[in-house]
Amino acid sequence: MEFLSSHYITVKDGTRISYDVHGEGSPILLIHGVTDCKETYDTDLPFLTKNHRVYRYDLRGHGASDHPKHPFTLENHIEDALAVISKLNLHNFVLYGGSLGSYIAEAVATKIPQDLSGLILNVSAAHNPASALADTAKNDNIPLDKVERRDYWIRHLTIDKGNIKQLTDSGFQKNSLSPEDEDRALRSITAFDFRNELPKITCPTLITSGLYDPVNGPSKGIEIQKYIPNACFVVFKSGHLQRLEMPTAYHHVVDDFIETVAR
């Protein structure tokens, strides 16, 4: 597997976005979820890079990208994604987003539908109010210690509370944030409603939900499917971290989809 070390793209407001590239073949762009980092996809790379060139990047305020000390929004994340796609000159690519990354991917897909060969929306929603996760953490007096905070989120987002070590080892929140950066990241999930725009998405789309997901349950995935003309929906017996909770079953579904649509 080819590996290119991390590079940076500077977006219009001066924020530097860190990205890396793996493998060869048709392109795939991965977008991670809130408070996580691009390395969360380490466990996906072995099967994704068999036939594909995989690009992944850290959202602003996350990982090795710049961490602004002022508030930022979902719109900032969307603008960053479009800048990354433009700078990397990506066309006919599969766009793959999880949780916050899926909201960004939805918006991007409505703006440049002609450039996508496929879209994967993992634990997503067509519309949501501003994230309740930041307030949930505040009300729960989330621990300041990085390891304890990561364990808190795993317990909050999964159904197997005894599986913390496996999920930690798999890459979840590999680059933990400071409490201040984490709060800004959580609050960057500002309110959105893409329902009127989703019919613009023309490429084949895979939507996956976790049956026991406390954030974006199956009803939200089913709703997205109603708005995207060429979409399929798969539900797993998992929580919000299905790709880490059920990796074999999840990878099989994703791999089959990508091999069908990639070109």
Side-chain angles (χ1 to χ4, degrees):
M1 179 177 66
E2 178 192 3
F3 173 76
L4 300 181
S5 60
S6 186
H7 300 283
Y8 289 89
I9 290 170
T10 302
V11 300
K12 66 180 181 180
D13 70 354
T15 301
R16 294 195 318 155
I17 303 297
S18 172
Y19 75 95
D20 59 20
V21 190
H22 302 255
E24 293 293 343
S26 57
I28 301 172
L29 177 64
L30 308 179
I31 310 180
H32 66 79
V34 70
T35 76
D36 219 324
C37 58
K38 60 182 178 295
E39 284 79 14
T40 192
Y41 289 114
D42 281 353
T43 53
D44 299 64
L45 289 179
F47 82 91
L48 289 177
T49 55
K50 288 179 181 178
N51 300 305
H52 309 287
R53 189 168 181 83
V54 178
Y55 300 81
R56 58 184 191 170
Y57 72 95
D58 287 320
L59 302 178
R60 66 169 58 209
H62 296 72
S65 291
D66 285 350
H67 291 205
K69 300 308 178 185
H70 53 77
F72 46 95
T73 67
L74 178 58
E75 189 58 37
N76 292 132
H77 288 312
I78 295 166
E79 291 172 355
D80 292 344
L82 290 168
V84 168
I85 291 165
S86 176
K87 292 283 188 179
L88 295 176
N89 196 29
L90 296 180
H91 300 282
N92 294 327
F93 68 100
V94 174
L95 181 57
Y96 176 171
S99 196
L100 168 57
S102 74
Y103 311 154
I104 299 165
E106 281 181 80
V108 167
T110 67
K111 295 177 184 297
I112 55 168
Q114 71 284 352
D115 286 333
L116 302 187
S117 61
L119 175 65
I120 299 173
L121 302 173
N122 175 222
V123 292
S124 193
H127 63 102
N128 264 340
S131 173
L133 288 176
D135 291 330
T136 298
K138 183 177 180 180
N139 293 338
D140 287 353
N141 294 315
I142 186 170
L144 295 180
D145 177 81
K146 289 184 178 183
V147 173
E148 291 179 2
R149 286 208 317 277
R150 182 175 55 203
D151 292 353
Y152 165 89
W153 285 118
I154 290 175
R155 290 194 300 271
H156 182 71
L157 297 174
T158 68
I159 59 171
D160 184 358
K161 312 308 179 188
N163 203 22
I164 290 177
K165 184 180 187 304
Q166 179 179 327
L167 292 175
T168 299
D169 291 346
S170 70
F172 178 67
Q173 291 189 340
K174 197 165 186 176
N175 292 337
S176 297
L177 303 176
S178 70
E180 296 78 16
D181 282 339
E182 184 170 288
D183 186 64
R184 275 187 289 270
L186 289 167
R187 295 188 187 282
S188 73
I189 308 178
T190 41
F192 65 93
D193 189 341
F194 300 137
R195 286 175 290 185
N196 289 338
E197 300 298 311
L198 290 178
K200 295 179 181 178
I201 299 174
T202 55
C203 65
T205 300
L206 171 64
I207 304 159
T208 63
S209 296
L211 184 61
Y212 308 107
D213 184 353
V215 180
N216 292 327
S219 62
K220 294 187 179 182
I222 291 170
E223 182 181 36
I224 299 172
Q225 186 185 24
K226 292 179 181 178
Y227 288 97
I228 299 178
N230 192 12
C232 61
F233 173 70
V234 179
V235 64
F236 294 87
K237 292 182 179 180
S238 70
H240 191 67
L241 303 180
Q242 62 185 231
R243 47 173 292 277
L244 301 179
E245 294 175 83
M246 304 184 65
T248 301
Y250 182 76
H251 289 168
H252 179 73
V253 169
V254 170
D255 193 35
D256 282 353
F257 175 79
I258 291 175
E259 293 310 312
T260 300
V261 303
R263 59 180 186 266

